Amino acid sequence: MTEVKERINPPLDAPDAAEEQYRWNRRYPELGTGPITTDRFLSEEHFERERKLVFGKSWLNIGSVHDFSGNGSFFVRDIAVLDVSLLVVQDEQGTVRAFHNVCSHRGNKLVWEKSGPCPYLFACRFHGWGYKQDGALASVPDEGEFHFGSDDKNPGKDGLGMVPVRTEVWKGFIFVNLDASGTDSLAEHLGPLGESLKDFPFDALELRHRYDVSDEANWKVILDAQNEIYHLPMLAPLHRFLGGGAFATNEDGYTRLLDFERLGLHTVFTSDSDIEWVDTPMRTAVAKAHPDGGLTTLPIRGPFVFHVLFPNMVLGFLGDFMFTYNVWPESVDKSVWEIRMHFPRPDTLADRVIHDLMKVRFRDLLCEDVTGHAALQVGLKSRARDVFVVGDQEVQIRSFHQNLDEYMERGNRG
Amino acid sequence: MAEKTAQITTEPAVALPERFTGLVRFSDWIVSTEAGRIERRLTVEMAACREFYDAMMVELDDIITYLRTRPGADPSPQDQALLNLVFSLHEVAQAVEIYDQGAVVDGADVRLFTSVLERGPVGGTNG
């Protein structure tokens, strides 16, 4: 396993390569250069197809083992787009399972608390049916009055446990798949992306902050807006400040991707920082007083790395921390943007200063973004244009929508 | 403006490590939650924010040097108070260095971004 402080920095591309026009289109000509339709962000019909063919069939990240308070604990995950409530349990041995959070008796939502230590039994509030951590039905009040296993139409008590959902854990991230008939494994779904991060020391990072932000935009508007850095020098004050060199720019001041790769259904792009970049007095003062300039360097490909895990997760790295996004659609034009920030365990309290400073900056950056998302949705909704254009420095967006279309096509063919 | 600062909840006074007792005049900035620190950033007058920022920037080198000697886990109440003071500086630095005001310019209300981990039990909240 690669150690946290061991940085892997590939040689930077020569500046002339970075300035090659249409560089990403040359690498991925199959993505074409055409526009993207507006309708896909607005149409109820398109949203229904996504619900059925994407969210209903794909592996979905619903959090990580950090969301448990330890072995023998649970959390409830409601997924609005699929109209399901899941009970996610980490048992005493550390095994993670997810179940439909539904009592087998009359269909009541079983657990109403958001999270906590597992009770002796998960007991339904309606009539007190109780379930074990492995989902088995253990206790039925007045059991003798039921007809368990009396004939073919009445399942026995052992057939009335909570209904399990396909669940797999990768590097501590918990994924579920609501397609009970599906056969693809999580490893197959992650494909080359999983392979590219197989040695990353996720264990060295702790969940420190989580923001659940209501966002008045289609889920893909949010993903697309985050999935490029072309906007950095323009959008808002902190974006403009960081676009001045924290993210590498060419001599005209426009950001240039250090690299972009398609990894099966997923993508990754990276950005370098400009060498002459001068940070704020606050950040400079903290870095100066700290060994190694205050950076706990993670083994990542550049100062900024942004993976999109199809369909709705982002796994990113910025300097010395890791962030994840889960963009959960609630309706065609409303979503919850779930943001988590993970940091290495602090060696000293000075590390906590560095981490909090990064958190505050990143949070304010996203606070600028969220206003942009809502404005995008308003603009698209006017249907002033049927399509919009994207540039070569936004190749990530083109790739995402092509993957989405192809995924839905395959799902339609069954 | 009195009606604005009245929204801020004052926390019980916590002592700072001995060598930093000179900063006790800023004890209103020793705030233990992100939500509380954001509230101060948004409601304290910019002049007072700048005074806090200027004074803290002078002390920062000493503070970081001291914190480098303290183990990363289980801080004492005094060290935690010092951390909370520096965390408030981080908020105010955004106001002073980037926005020239407490609120995020051209952005949403930053109160939307208070960590849900500070608010008690968390589940999947969408839906």
Side-chain angles (χ1 to χ4, degrees), chain A residues 391-406:
Chain A
D392 199 53
Q393 292 294 322
E394 300 169 295
V395 63
Q396 310 93 304
I397 295 173
R398 203 183 286 291
S399 178
F400 175 79
H401 286 278
Q402 182 160 317
N403 285 342
L404 180 67
D405 289 348
E406 290 175 359

Side-chain angles (χ1 to χ4, degrees), chain A residues 188-209:
Chain A
E188 286 168 324
H189 173 73
L190 294 174
L193 180 135
E195 191 61 24
S196 75
L197 288 168
K198 70 178 168 33
D199 292 327
F200 187 85
F202 290 99
D203 286 352
L205 299 170
E206 302 174 327
L207 174 65
R208 214 67 70 67
H209 310 283

Side-chain angles (χ1 to χ4, degrees), chain B residues 31-105:
Chain B
V31 180
S32 61
T33 64
E34 182 178 30
R37 294 189 288 271
I38 286 174
E39 203 58 40
R40 277 194 73 83
R41 162 179 163 182
L42 294 175
T43 52
V44 171
E45 295 279 359
M46 270 308 280
C49 287
R50 281 181 203 286
E51 186 191 343
F52 173 58
Y53 172 86
D54 291 341
M56 286 292 288
M57 289 298 277
V58 172
E59 301 283 342
L60 200 57
D61 205 62
D62 281 350
I63 293 173
I64 303 287
T65 302
Y66 168 76
L67 290 174
R68 276 172 57 193
T69 68
R70 314 300 285 169
D74 303 320
S76 68
Q78 293 79 15
D79 287 349
Q80 185 64 56
L82 183 62
L83 277 177
N84 291 339
L85 189 67
V86 177
F87 295 168
S88 281
L89 173 66
H90 295 162
E91 296 290 347
V92 167
Q94 288 291 98
V96 171
E97 296 177 340
I98 303 291
Y99 296 115
D100 200 24
Q101 64 175 46
V104 171
V105 174

Side-chain angles (χ1 to χ4, degrees), chain A residues 47-353:
Chain A
F47 187 69
E48 281 307 309
R49 290 181 67 223
E50 291 171 350
R51 182 200 301 272
K52 183 174 156 217
L53 300 172
V54 179
F55 288 91
K57 290 196 179 284
S58 179
W59 285 97
L60 303 172
N61 172 248
I62 55 164
S64 80
V65 291
H66 295 290
D67 296 338
F68 295 113
S69 52
N71 285 356
S73 68
F74 74 93
F75 65 86
V76 168
R77 157 65 60 179
D78 296 337
I79 305 178
V81 67
L82 296 174
D83 288 326
V84 297
S85 176
L86 304 180
L87 175 62
V88 190
V89 179
Q90 180 165 257
D91 71 15
E92 303 295 349
Q93 286 71 47
T95 303
V96 177
R97 298 183 183 88
F99 306 94
H100 284 280
N101 183 24
V102 176
C103 180
S104 302
H105 173 215
R106 298 262 298 277
N108 193 29
K109 179 173 178 174
L110 182 63
V111 174
W112 295 4
E113 292 81 7
K114 288 179 173 176
S115 60
C118 290
Y120 172 65
L121 292 176
F122 291 107
C124 182
R125 295 182 186 222
F126 200 2
H127 302 92
W129 285 35
Y131 302 82
K132 294 187 195 172
Q133 292 178 19
D134 65 3
L137 176 60
S139 168
V140 176
D142 204 10
E143 183 175 338
E145 288 297 296
F146 285 86
H147 306 279
F148 295 141
S150 60
D151 56 40
D152 292 350
K153 291 178 185 164
N154 276 301
K157 195 174 158 191
D158 58 0
L160 286 168
M162 286 187 276
V163 176
V165 170
R166 293 167 68 202
T167 309
E168 289 195 44
V169 179
W170 170 75
K171 304 289 185 190
F173 294 106
I174 304 164
F175 289 77
V176 294
N177 191 317
L178 272 296
D179 180 8
S181 64
T183 54
D184 63 322
S185 68
L186 177 61
E188 286 168 324
H189 173 73
L190 294 174
L193 180 135
E195 191 61 24
S196 75
L197 288 168
K198 70 178 168 33
D199 292 327
F200 187 85
F202 290 99
D203 286 352
L205 299 170
E206 302 174 327
L207 174 65
R208 214 67 70 67
H209 310 283
R210 170 174 163 185
Y211 304 103
D212 293 354
V213 180
S214 280
D215 211 333
E216 302 292 322
N218 181 269
W219 67 282
K220 304 183 299 299
V221 164
I222 299 163
L223 263 185
D224 288 354
Q226 294 298 311
N227 197 14
E228 49 95 351
I229 52 172
Y230 173 45
H231 69 281
L232 266 166
M234 276 71 84
L235 183 73
L238 184 55
H239 276 76
R240 286 194 287 274
F241 178 73
L242 298 173
F247 292 78
T249 50
N250 70 2
E251 58 189 25
D252 296 322
Y254 299 126
T255 54
R256 286 290 175 265
L257 302 180
L258 177 62
D259 200 6
F260 166 71
E261 271 188 274
R262 304 185 79 191
L263 300 167
L265 285 168
H266 322 285
T267 55
V268 59
F269 77 86
T270 53
S271 168
D272 202 3
S273 296
D274 289 336
I275 294 164
E276 66 272 24
W277 157 246
V278 178
D279 211 323
T280 56
M282 177 77 237
R283 183 66 179 77
T284 303
V286 168
K288 182 168 151 273
H290 201 282
D292 311 322
L295 275 181
T296 306
T297 47
L298 296 171
I300 53 177
R301 306 172 186 210
F304 185 71
V305 184
F306 195 96
H307 302 84
V308 174
L309 275 69
F310 186 87
N312 68 330
M313 182 190 186
V314 167
L315 175 58
F317 301 99
L318 178 57
D320 45 6
F321 79 98
M322 176 177 86
F323 58 94
T324 62
Y325 303 152
N326 300 88
V327 186
W328 293 106
E330 299 211 310
S331 63
V332 68
D333 55 5
K334 190 166 166 48
S335 308
V336 174
W337 183 17
E338 205 172 284
I339 300 153
R340 287 175 172 81
M341 298 175 65
H342 305 73
F343 288 89
R345 285 176 199 89
D347 289 334
T348 72
L349 294 183
D351 291 340
R352 292 193 53 195
V353 171

